[in-house]
Amino acid sequence: MARLFYSIFYLAAGHALVGTGALAPPSSPKNQRHAFNTPVGRREALVAAGGAIAGTGIMPVPNADAAGSPAPVAVIGAGGRTGALCVASCLRRGVPVRALTRSGTWQPPATDVIAQGREAAASYSGSLLSVAPCDVKDVAALASGVSGCRAVIYAASASKKGGSAKEIDNVGVVSAGDACLRAGVGRYVVISSTAATRPKSLGYVFTNVFGGIMDEKRRGEEGVVTAYSKTDPATSTYIIIRPGGLEEPKLNAILGPSSLELSQGDALAGIVSRADLAEASVEAALSSASNLRDSSFELYYADSAQPCEGRFKPLLENGMVARLQGETYETLFSGIKPDGEYYVP
């Protein structure tokens, strides 16, 4: 039922605004803008000039400590459904993970899922898992929570107990990014939402009813991009993942990269399970692909792809927006471009 609902939802979004505007060609000045209206090439210039900004004192956290033990991945919002699955995803890979929750306690996902190619479910005992308190409204707690981590995944979102959309999806996202920069965390992965840059889309309008959450997600994204635009990408990078409509895992299984599609430009959407979102988030956090830096991309199942606005329907077939697919995450990520280097309709 969830898949049917979201398919109908995005179909409605795809037809709601038909005829409101024609697509401009990629060479049009309209489409030469940065996806976030920030200067293109500033960070590239810093790299060419020879490294990080002088005087920042930022040193990147190595992937392993002096003894060779891998540095952990921190998951902010590990107490939520998606965050808990991110923790489980790390553990299945044998990756040390720090579960950051408001309470400082952590419970495994209600139903674990089995990943394709992995014989066993995650083990929740042993030294790979650590748990620490972290309220994203507390700057000191954020600093402590991300310290010494190789990557951080921000999986928190607004809730009655946790805080408002402004506090969690905007200010918290930016504060966590700032903490990552100060701590020299190499990769900051933010889980956002498709259509975050499309305020006229049905998905944005419908979801934004809940406390203006889409407005705040957009502001959070912009804040992260602004902060990271001042830093050498060889030191720290961000990844913004915009998942389609979220559903619970089917048959307690992870469908894996062969079922997924990525795109950029926030024009296409679809649905995806929380489990596959968690897998993709962890893979993005761990990836060493040189092209996967300061990038935003949409994530959904390939067979659920829909335009997030009616005017984008031709993009499903005309190739102006790359629809990235692959049998492995390495292949899936290989076509991702940094923000500002891809077509934004």
Side-chain angles (χ1 to χ4, degrees):
M1 287 300 292
R3 178 173 287 255
L4 176 61
F5 170 78
Y6 282 113
S7 295
I8 293 173
F9 177 78
Y10 278 107
L11 276 170
H15 289 287
L17 298 173
V18 172
T20 60
L23 289 172
S27 59
S28 166
K30 174 183 177 182
N31 297 305
Q32 297 300 318
R33 62 184 173 84
H34 191 293
F36 295 94
N37 296 318
T38 56
V40 178
R42 180 177 182 182
R43 299 184 70 182
E44 287 74 6
L46 287 170
V47 176
I53 300 173
T56 61
I58 295 175
M59 293 296 292
V61 175
N63 290 340
D65 61 22
S69 300
V73 172
V75 178
I76 298 174
R81 286 179 290 174
T82 302
L85 289 165
C86 287
V87 173
S89 180
C90 286
L91 294 174
R92 271 195 300 274
R93 288 163 171 76
V95 173
V97 59
R98 185 179 299 166
L100 300 177
T101 68
R102 292 192 312 276
S103 65
T105 61
W106 184 78
Q107 294 294 323
T111 302
D112 197 8
V113 289
I114 304 300
Q116 293 179 349
R118 302 183 190 278
E119 297 180 356
S123 172
Y124 301 115
S125 61
S127 60
L128 290 178
L129 174 64
S130 60
V131 183
C134 181
D135 189 322
V136 300
K137 300 188 294 294
D138 184 337
V139 175
L142 281 172
S144 175
V146 306
S147 178
C149 292
R150 63 190 293 188
V152 171
I153 299 172
Y154 193 98
S157 193
S159 66
K160 290 182 178 179
K161 293 183 178 180
S164 68
K166 181 177 181 179
E167 291 172 318
I168 311 302
D169 296 88
N170 175 0
V171 177
V173 167
V174 178
S175 295
D178 290 341
C180 288
L181 287 173
R182 287 192 295 270
V185 174
R187 173 66 52 79
Y188 180 42
V189 178
V190 177
I191 299 176
S192 183
S193 175
T194 51
T197 70
R198 303 296 180 182
K200 293 183 180 180
S201 69
L202 183 58
Y204 190 111
V205 173
F206 179 85
T207 309
N208 206 45
V209 171
F210 302 98
I213 191 169
M214 294 298 283
D215 292 340
E216 302 302 340
K217 283 182 180 294
R218 177 57 177 157
R219 292 171 186 139
E221 288 188 7
E222 291 174 332
V224 168
V225 172
T226 298
Y228 277 75
S229 70
K230 305 171 185 177
T231 306
D232 180 1
T235 301
S236 299
T237 65
Y238 70 84
I239 299 293
I240 296 172
I241 300 179
R242 297 176 180 143
L246 295 176
E247 63 180 14
E248 298 307 316
K250 297 293 184 183
L251 303 176
N252 299 331
I254 294 166
L255 301 187
S258 62
S259 295
L260 298 172
E261 178 174 298
L262 309 182
S263 60
Q264 294 183 278
D266 206 14
L268 303 181
I271 60 171
V272 67
S273 79
R274 294 180 186 275
D276 276 298
L277 168 59
E279 291 284 298
S281 299
V282 171
E283 289 286 344
L286 298 175
S287 175
S288 60
S290 60
N291 61 296
L292 198 63
R293 54 181 174 82
D294 294 355
S295 304
S296 305
F297 60 81
E298 293 74 61
L299 171 73
Y300 45 86
Y301 290 130
D303 63 3
S304 72
Q306 301 290 338
C308 70
E309 293 184 26
R311 63 193 175 104
F312 299 144
K313 189 174 182 180
L315 297 175
L316 289 169
E317 299 180 355
N318 66 15
M320 295 175 72
V321 168
R323 299 179 60 183
L324 306 175
Q325 299 178 17
E327 293 298 314
T328 66
Y329 279 105
E330 182 179 8
T331 303
L332 199 60
F333 290 152
S334 64
I336 292 294
K337 297 180 179 180
D339 289 335
E341 297 184 13
Y342 52 82
Y343 171 51
V344 180

